Structure formats: structure tokens, C-alpha cells
Amino acid sequence: MTEKREYTDDYPEKTLYIPGPTEVREDVIEEMAQPMFGHRMDRMTDLYTTVVEDTKTFLGTDNDVIVLTASGTEFMEAAIQNLVDEHVLVTTCGSFSERQANVAERLGKDVDTLEYEWGNAVKPADVRARLEASEKTYDVVTCVMNESSTGVRNPIEEIGDVVAEFPDTLFVVDAVSALGGDYVDIDAHDIDVIFTSVQKAFAMPPGLAVCVVSDAAYEREIESDSASWYGGFQRSLDYYDRKGQTHSTPAIPVMLAYRAQMKHMLDEGHEARSERHREMAEYTREWAAEHFGMFPEEGYRSQTVSCIENTADIDVAATIDEVSEKYDFVFSNGYGSALGEQTFRIGHMGEHDVESIEELTDAIEDVADL
């Protein structure tokens, strides 16, 4: 049984290079210290409508946006509950896409998978072939945009174009570790639902999930007999239309932080922010090529999380500990027992830039004697 470990308020500050949470601007953190106010006051309407409409502007979408107090996992579950009557095709190539299949099975859906070896990406042609060959009409196809377990960036734009050819099938994208740091034109590629968590590339404190919902997804849920109560699209969006607020009490301090950070993101711009992340990813890949290897297949590598293959056979756990102790930098081991020492991961997302990533790689070189 787990025993209590007292929180001491006496911890060294660490710079985070993990796949989230990531670094947060000081002025954004300070926003959370404002005096509390009621979630049914006019002030809350001002705050929530600002957050929602700024998010739509940043992402360049005409679709509806929901910002809910939750982790992104809430919308992973809700999207299946809201949109799948019976059949769902889940594309899997890592831990988080496999989790989506498990969630759908737990909800009692008929789940088929299109499976890839970890490190490989989902291929649009395979999705088309499966949809054409299946005797079932799938209500939904799911895909993870950015498999942070393996560092794979799936081609969701091309997959969305394929799914759009099947009018009875909706496309749901888990973009938890990518949205905000990797540009995607949501509307142009017929993505019906795409969701994220704010503690990743949005560079905010944890506590909020963001979901973009198409008209087709909204209408599909209206026809459903088993939509999610908390994460229901209709319930959230109708309440917003009537009141300009959330249907349940939100994490107001994190909403205040969200408002401040989204202003920074709007100032930078979606495409410019994506370009900065691309530069960090390219630097990290070049560094990895000098000392190690890359785990994901060529041409499908993440713009926000690099999964590096430990070809130099360093002691990953010991290196992580020593870099943390000596430099106060924190990066991540491989995901789970299978990749724990075989790979390690560097999160280059949020407010980092090439210079700050270089500080980490210099520290790894020093500690691992590369």
C-alpha cells in the first residue's frame, strides 16, 4: 500500500524537456493568483468567450471549440461515446493509439484495429484499403497525430482526406502532444474531432482539455442515445450558445492562465509557432544522428517530441538522473518497459527554442561522455 510522502515546499526548480507538462511563462503562472470569482458571473462569460474565440482564431477553424476542465483523455473517451453507434476503426502504432482502442472496447463498441509496429506510421493508402474492403460501415476512424511514446507523427491530413471519401464515417484525431506546436489545417482536411491538453505544446499549466468539433460530429451526437454527459458536444456547445459559459464549474485559475497564454500564441501566430517547433525538431534529429539514432521511421518524425534510439548504449536512467542533479534539466526515458532503456525522449515543445534545446543536449553529452 502506498504511504503518504509529505510535500515539503523545498524542491529545486527543474527545466522541463519532457513530453509534457512543459515550461510555462512566469506571467502566465501569475495569472492564476487573481482573486476568485463565481463561474456564473458576467466576468466568467467574458473570460470563457475570450478563451474560446481566441482559440478558434489561433487554430484558424470555423468549427466549434470546447474548453473543458479535464485532461485530453476526457475527449478521447467522449468522442467514442458521442459518435460511435457500433463500429469503430482504430489505427494503432504506439501506446496512446492502443489506449484509444482499449477505451472503445471498454465502452462496448465493436472495435477493429489497423495495427503498425511501434516506430512506424499509419499510411493513408492502408486506411483507404481497409475502408473499401470492410463489410462494416465504420462510424468513426481514429488516429493519433503525434505518438509521443514513439516519436511518430502520423499524416493525419492525408488520412482525413481519405476518410472524407466515406461520408458515413467521421474522423477523430488525438492531437494531445502536437496541437499548437505542429500546424494542421483542421477544416481543409475534414477532421471532425481533434482534441488536445493544454500542458503540452500550448505551454500552459495542466487542467484543461480543448476539443474542436465539426457540424457533422455535432449532428451525429444529437442522434445518439448514449452521448457522454460531461464531455457531450451538444451539452457543452448549446450551453455556450445560451450562456457563454461552461456547463460545469471550470478550473477558473487555469482559464485565466489560458487567456494570457493564448494572447502570446496569437502574437506569434500558428504557422510561425509551428516553424519554431520544426527548427527545434530538426536540430534534435541532427544531434541524435551524431551520437545515436532516431526510433521512428524516416519521414514520419514528430515535430514536438523526439524519440531517440539508444544506439550508444548509455545508461538512460542514470543519465537522466545525473542531468537532473547536475544541470536541473529533466528529459524522459523511453515509454514503458519495452522502450525504457532502448530509447529516450526529448520534448521540444511550448516555449522552448533551439538555444534552450542545445543547452540540454550539451548537458547530455557532458554526463554521458559523448
Side-chain angles (χ1 to χ4, degrees):
M1 180 179 292
T2 300
E3 297 181 357
K4 177 182 178 181
R5 291 175 46 172
E6 191 70 31
Y7 191 86
T8 66
D9 288 322
D10 183 25
Y11 303 94
E13 291 189 13
K14 305 285 185 179
T15 302
L16 301 178
Y17 298 90
I18 56 179
T22 187
E23 293 294 295
V24 181
R25 294 171 181 261
E26 191 63 35
D27 66 300
V28 173
I29 292 175
E30 290 171 356
E31 287 292 313
M32 295 192 294
Q34 292 190 35
M36 190 51 55
F37 54 90
H39 69 292
R40 294 296 176 235
M41 295 170 63
D42 288 344
R43 184 175 175 181
M44 187 66 223
T45 305
D46 294 346
L47 174 59
Y48 190 59
T49 56
T50 297
V51 162
V52 167
E53 298 307 320
D54 280 356
T55 303
K56 291 175 68 173
T57 299
F58 174 78
L59 294 175
T61 182
D62 291 326
N63 290 343
D64 290 311
V65 165
I66 303 168
V67 182
L68 197 64
T69 299
S71 73
T73 309
E74 166 61 27
F75 285 121
M76 178 187 290
E77 183 173 64
I80 297 297
Q81 187 70 20
N82 297 344
L83 303 179
V84 179
D85 179 41
E86 187 173 5
H87 306 297
V88 57
L89 177 63
V90 181
T91 61
T92 66
C93 61
S95 178
F96 294 98
S97 48
E98 290 179 0
R99 181 179 298 179
Q100 180 75 88
N102 180 256
V103 166
E105 288 168 353
R106 285 172 174 264
L107 290 172
K109 308 304 181 182
D110 177 49
V111 181
D112 287 343
T113 56
L114 179 58
E115 299 178 18
Y116 293 83
E117 184 178 351
W118 283 31
N120 292 333
V122 178
K123 306 303 188 297
D126 295 342
V127 175
R128 175 182 281 107
R130 176 63 70 88
L131 292 175
E132 289 176 343
S134 177
E135 295 181 358
K136 304 174 183 177
T137 297
Y138 292 108
D139 299 308
V140 163
V141 171
T142 74
C143 189
V144 172
M145 177 177 177
N146 194 77
E147 258 292 355
S148 57
S149 62
T150 63
V152 165
R153 201 290 198 182
N154 284 312
I156 60 166
E157 294 88 349
E158 291 86 350
I159 296 169
D161 294 342
V162 168
V163 177
E165 298 174 17
F166 299 82
D168 295 325
T169 304
L170 301 180
F171 187 39
V172 172
V173 174
D174 172 347
V176 165
S177 59
L179 200 64
D182 187 343
Y183 179 84
V184 55
D185 191 328
I186 297 167
D187 300 6
H189 297 285
D190 293 290
I191 299 171
D192 293 290
V193 173
I194 186 168
F195 56 87
T196 191
S197 295
V198 299
Q199 77 274 14
K200 306 279 187 174
F202 276 34
M204 299 180 197
L208 300 175
V210 179
C211 189
V212 183
V213 181
S214 72
D215 290 343
Y218 177 88
E219 294 297 331
R220 170 74 64 79
E221 192 208 283
I222 290 176
E223 300 170 359
S224 172
D225 295 326
S226 61
S228 170
W229 191 91
Y230 187 70
F233 301 149
Q234 181 184 10
R235 190 159 183 269
S236 295
L237 295 172
D238 286 3
Y239 202 94
Y240 180 73
D241 285 343
R242 293 196 312 272
K243 302 285 189 178
Q245 297 175 349
T246 57
H247 60 65
S248 300
T249 309
I252 295 173
V254 189
M255 287 274 187
L256 289 164
Y258 189 114
R259 170 190 162 275
Q261 175 62 3
M262 186 51 68
K263 297 299 185 187
H264 289 304
M265 292 169 68
L266 286 168
D267 286 344
E268 184 175 18
H270 195 175
E271 294 190 43
R273 193 173 180 85
S274 182
E275 175 64 17
R276 176 166 57 81
H277 282 72
R278 185 191 62 78
E279 291 171 356
M280 289 190 286
E282 288 184 350
Y283 166 78
T284 308
R285 293 170 198 154
E286 290 170 3
W287 174 81
E290 291 181 16
H291 304 287
F292 303 97
M294 292 296 294
F295 183 73
E297 68 174 303
E298 181 75 37
Y300 299 95
R301 291 171 178 170
S302 168
Q303 194 161 281
T304 56
V305 181
S306 285
C307 186
I308 298 167
E309 190 167 11
N310 184 20
T311 56
D313 199 29
I314 66 171
D315 187 325
V316 170
T319 302
I320 289 171
D321 287 346
E322 191 171 347
V323 168
S324 175
E325 181 69 25
K326 186 174 181 179
Y327 290 95
D328 289 324
F329 296 159
V330 182
F331 66 106
S332 180
N333 59 350
Y335 195 87
S337 58
L339 299 180
E341 281 288 324
Q342 183 183 343
T343 64
F344 61 91
R345 295 174 296 157
I346 294 175
H348 32 76
M349 62 172 70
E351 297 309 309
H352 282 298
D353 55 25
V354 170
E355 289 72 24
S356 68
I357 301 302
E358 189 172 1
E359 290 178 355
L360 172 65
T361 55
D362 286 348
I364 295 172
E365 288 181 25
D366 173 44
V367 166
D369 195 25
L370 298 175

